Amino acid sequence: YYRNPDLGLGRGFVILASIMVFILAFSILAGGTLLLLQARRASLEAVRKTNFVSNVSHELKTPLTTIRMYAELLGEDRIKDEEKKKKYLEIIIGETQRLTRLVNNVLDVSRLEQGRKRYRTDRIDVTSVVRKVLEILEMRLVEAGVSVDCRFEDREVICSIDGDAFEQAFSNLVDNAIK
């Protein structure tokens, strides 16, 4: 029995070439898919960073606007009432403290991303925080023609919350209403 060795080699070559083409096509598709996924992740990360910068700018702008407004009033010597001057200075001091907290919050972002951020919960009177924020933003509310009608009970409303985070959130809410 005589067997032609070239016939078996040809069929084996076709099968091997087909397998190699399949592996090559699969590798190209898998690599392309991975590149697309990586590009999508990079794009989402860029959007996240842009949103973060936008949010930080918004957070910093509110107290800076308030500080500038009260400082200009005091600097132009338009306020004659000593009690009002004292109140405006207290607001400026409070807003600079708020700016410090905001900067610290920005620094906390890395801790948050690493899962190490902890909120400082204290027993806080929510009505006093609301009153404080409305007092700080009073001039801006008046200038914008926005009136706020608050009716508080004569009792404290105590909650276990992070006071800075609550004040910041409520301040943003009022600031957005002004805008």
Side-chain angles (χ1 to χ4, degrees):
Y1 167 73
Y2 175 74
R3 197 169 151 187
N4 186 350
D6 291 337
L7 290 177
L9 183 62
R11 183 179 298 152
F13 179 74
V14 170
I15 292 172
L16 183 62
S18 298
I19 291 172
M20 289 179 67
V21 166
F22 175 76
I23 290 172
L24 179 64
F26 178 78
S27 298
I28 290 171
L29 286 174
T33 302
L34 289 174
L35 286 174
L36 285 174
L37 287 174
Q38 187 176 8
R40 174 121 171 101
R41 276 192 212 122
S43 174
L44 289 174
E45 182 69 21
V47 168
R48 224 176 85 204
K49 286 180 181 179
T50 301
N51 288 340
F52 175 75
V53 169
S54 174
N55 289 337
V56 167
S57 298
H58 174 76
E59 296 293 331
L60 295 174
K61 192 194 269 186
T62 302
L64 284 173
T65 302
T66 303
I67 290 168
R68 191 183 80 226
M69 182 177 57
Y70 285 109
E72 286 174 358
L73 286 171
L74 291 172
E76 294 170 359
D77 204 27
R78 292 173 46 185
I79 308 301
K80 302 301 179 196
D81 181 15
E82 288 300 318
E83 199 58 38
K84 270 192 172 180
K85 284 182 181 181
K86 183 179 177 186
K87 178 182 170 185
Y88 290 178
L89 283 173
E90 288 172 0
I91 289 172
I92 290 171
I93 291 167
E95 288 297 277
T96 56
Q97 290 169 343
R98 182 173 166 214
L99 276 174
T100 300
R101 288 191 305 267
L102 289 172
V103 169
N104 287 335
N105 287 344
V106 170
L107 297 174
D108 282 344
V109 168
S110 65
R111 289 185 204 131
L112 186 63
E113 287 180 348
Q114 296 170 1
R116 296 185 304 133
K117 170 67 177 143
R118 301 284 185 256
Y119 287 100
R120 289 187 348 255
T121 57
D122 295 314
R123 294 182 48 77
I124 304 289
D125 176 21
V126 175
T127 56
S128 68
V129 174
V130 168
R131 281 187 179 113
K132 176 183 170 188
V133 168
L134 291 176
E135 183 179 306
I136 288 169
L137 296 175
E138 179 181 10
M139 293 289 288
R140 292 192 57 221
L141 287 163
V142 169
E143 286 179 357
V146 176
S147 64
V148 178
D149 182 20
C150 290
R151 297 179 189 154
F152 297 108
E153 302 258 339
D154 285 337
R155 62 182 176 84
E156 294 179 330
V157 177
I158 305 295
C159 294
S160 289
I161 58 174
D162 184 312
D164 292 339
F166 177 75
E167 182 179 336
Q168 184 177 342
F170 185 69
S171 179
N172 288 345
L173 182 67
V174 174
D175 186 57
N176 288 339
I178 291 170
K179 291 177 183 171

